[in-house]
Amino acid sequence: MYLADHTWPELGDALSDGSVALVPLGSTEQHGPHLPLATDHLIAEGLATAAAERSDAFRTPTINVGVSPHHRQFPGTMWVDPPEFRDYVESFARNLAYHGIDRVVFVNAHGGNVQHLREVGRRLHEDEVAYAVEWMWDESIPELVDELFERNGPHAGPKETAMITHIAPDLVREDRLEDARDGGLVDLESAETMVHGARTFYDSIDNSANGAFGDPTDVTPEKSERLFEAAADQLVQLAEWIGERDGDELFPESRVEREAANR
């Protein structure tokens, strides 16, 4: 169910303690010469939509701009600073909890958001406001990603190209796939930006001139559908798992309560 399509009387009847929200989050940033800036938030929204249709979870509106200053040299990239991003997402989740949705999955498709979403989840957990976890789609199916693509990449590579091929094929510039591969960084191990164990770079452009990593030419519609469906299935199972937990299982037990139980 997409929460924003419904009226408040309809939601008043539907929402209750224990409801699960799927919050899609991504970015608006460069994804090489072949994918749109919307790539990450389109992936997050597509997966959250599919999972909400296949479970009892509610999908919320999408948070389209994330923490992306490392792509700032590429025209059109947008970002917010980490403190403001964390505060906004935390406030967003507290709003959901006010309406009885105290279980949240941050359906994330942007690596730059990960550590900040985990911090937000920790804050909410400590305050016992909501149980919120960050979920990164490709981390739910790493074996399949490795199986499908020989030369993968963390950004604008075959896995993201495959997801957009499935979700919004008209937005893939198929005539630029080879450009993305040849003008980007196909093999991460060949990068010269790790020196004596230290990462000497801060921005994407320091590793890839066109912002692409991996070989996006290794994508087919069949691989794309398989990847999307596998990730969507993992999200459905996660939403169902969280929804089935008792509140006592999700929120922290105090030290005093733990010691009393062990006496």
Side-chain angles (χ1 to χ4, degrees):
M1 175 188 292
Y2 178 45
L3 187 147
D5 278 348
H6 295 270
T7 66
W8 70 260
E10 292 168 346
L11 291 173
D13 294 336
L15 300 180
S16 62
D17 291 341
S19 294
V20 179
L22 306 177
V23 181
L25 304 99
S27 65
T28 299
E29 64 180 25
Q30 74 83 16
H31 274 79
H34 63 301
L35 293 178
L37 271 66
T39 289
D40 285 346
H41 69 252
L42 287 176
I43 293 172
E45 186 171 282
L47 289 169
T49 298
E53 291 173 349
R54 304 172 193 181
S55 70
D56 293 329
F58 297 89
R59 176 174 75 84
T60 74
T62 304
I63 298 175
N64 293 335
V65 178
V67 182
S68 304
H70 48 295
H71 294 293
R72 65 185 184 272
Q73 288 90 353
F74 296 92
T77 290
M78 303 177 188
W79 68 91
V80 292
D81 292 331
E84 286 72 23
F85 177 78
R86 290 192 295 267
D87 288 347
Y88 180 86
V89 176
E90 181 179 349
S91 179
F92 190 104
R94 287 178 181 272
N95 171 272
L96 294 173
Y98 178 84
H99 293 293
I101 307 175
D102 62 352
R103 298 152 197 239
V104 178
V105 179
F106 295 130
V107 182
N108 183 36
H110 173 52
N113 294 340
V114 171
Q115 62 179 312
H116 308 295
L117 294 173
R118 289 177 178 167
E119 169 61 19
V120 170
R122 185 189 65 79
R123 293 181 191 175
L124 296 167
H125 187 250
E126 286 187 352
D127 291 346
E128 299 187 35
V129 171
Y131 180 81
V133 294
E134 183 269 342
W135 180 82
M136 187 76 174
W137 71 269
D138 56 323
E139 292 181 358
S140 74
I141 49 171
E143 296 86 1
L144 179 59
V145 173
D146 289 341
E147 174 188 336
L148 292 178
F149 307 116
E150 181 177 353
R151 295 190 290 180
N152 200 13
H155 182 79
K159 63 185 179 185
E160 291 189 324
T161 302
M163 294 297 271
I164 298 301
T165 295
H166 182 76
I167 295 167
D170 292 344
L171 296 182
V172 179
R173 280 61 168 179
E174 294 186 0
D175 59 333
R176 301 298 304 275
L177 293 176
E178 292 185 1
D179 293 342
R181 177 195 62 197
D182 298 340
L185 180 65
V186 174
D187 182 8
L188 294 181
E189 294 183 359
S190 67
E192 299 179 353
T193 48
M194 288 292 293
V195 178
H196 302 302
R199 289 169 53 121
T200 62
F201 63 95
Y202 286 95
D203 296 329
S204 175
I205 202 168
D206 295 333
N207 274 332
S208 173
N210 68 10
F213 297 80
D215 182 3
T217 66
D218 186 24
V219 171
T220 66
E222 293 75 22
K223 288 182 180 180
S224 301
E225 180 179 10
R226 188 177 173 192
L227 196 70
F228 180 89
E229 290 298 328
D233 181 64
Q234 288 294 307
L235 182 55
V236 168
Q237 292 187 57
L238 175 60
E240 291 176 343
W241 179 87
I242 291 177
E244 291 169 357
R245 302 276 76 75
D246 291 331
D248 292 341
E249 297 179 70
L250 299 176
F251 294 107
E253 182 182 19
S254 72
R255 179 185 61 82
V256 174
E257 291 173 341
R258 183 181 298 273
E259 290 181 353
N262 291 332
R263 286 175 186 164

